[in-house]
Amino acid sequence: MDEFLEEYLEFAKDIAQYAGEVMLKYFKENNGASYKGDKTIVTLADTEINAYLIKRVKEKYPSHSVDGEEEQFGRSDYVWVCDPVDGTAMYARHIPVALFSLALVIKGESKIGVVFDPFTNSWYTAIKGKGAYKNGEKITVNGYELDDMRTVCHYDLWVGADYNISEVVQELANKTYFIGLGSIIRACMCVASGDFTLAIFPGTKHKNCDIAAVKVIVEEAGGMVTDLFGNEQPYNESINGAVISNGKVHNEVIETIKKYLEDKRN
């Protein structure tokens, strides 16, 4: 298996390059934004990129499957897990925060991660066991505590989320600075590169698409990615939220989450 990981990474980067071109095209034009049944936004870029990934996987790796946020194909131990446009609400409003994310998940474990920001031409890549890179240069998480004045943290909140993390954020905000970027994957890449210390994500149903690539990139950069309660979880199925950190603050954050959400655990 491992001898093919470099090949899989190059395949993922080819998909990401195409995705970036599509994102830029529709960013400048009418992006066809509409609302799905769960009241989240989808654009023409989301559907076009997802369809292209399925087409390419069918051609190149027909025994593999695809779990895209907008469309799925097949069932396999080898799953290409994709968020075509993360930060769609920002993208639909012509705010250049969104990016593309793709992971190869093998038997539930993220082995390959590629995240591409076409607006700054920034590439985040990782192969499990081989480090994480931004534009070809190795990246590492920071070593800050929550009460370090240099620490910046991210949170996501939305109507209908299975977990309401508002009280968690309120308590942690007594010692650290929280912002919402409009893209969880963008925030997680900031954790991987050392610019942020923490991101908390309450997503569950089909939200493995948001965290699958994050898992391998952040951990290869020296950080930690678990569910909201500190447990490992597979990324070929729905998840139980996520805490993404530099590792140093992880236990403190998990204990705070348990204090407020233990009785709501899925």
Side-chain angles (χ1 to χ4, degrees), residues 160-179:
D162 284 347
Y163 294 106
N164 184 340
I165 61 170
S166 57
E167 290 181 306
V168 175
V169 172
Q170 187 174 6
E171 176 168 330
L172 293 174
N174 289 322
K175 60 166 60 178
T176 192
Y177 178 53
F178 273 95
I179 62 172

Side-chain angles (χ1 to χ4, degrees), residues 142-153:
N142 66 46
Y144 306 156
E145 299 283 2
L146 288 177
D147 59 0
D148 191 307
M149 65 181 296
R150 295 168 292 181
T151 287
V152 177
C153 304

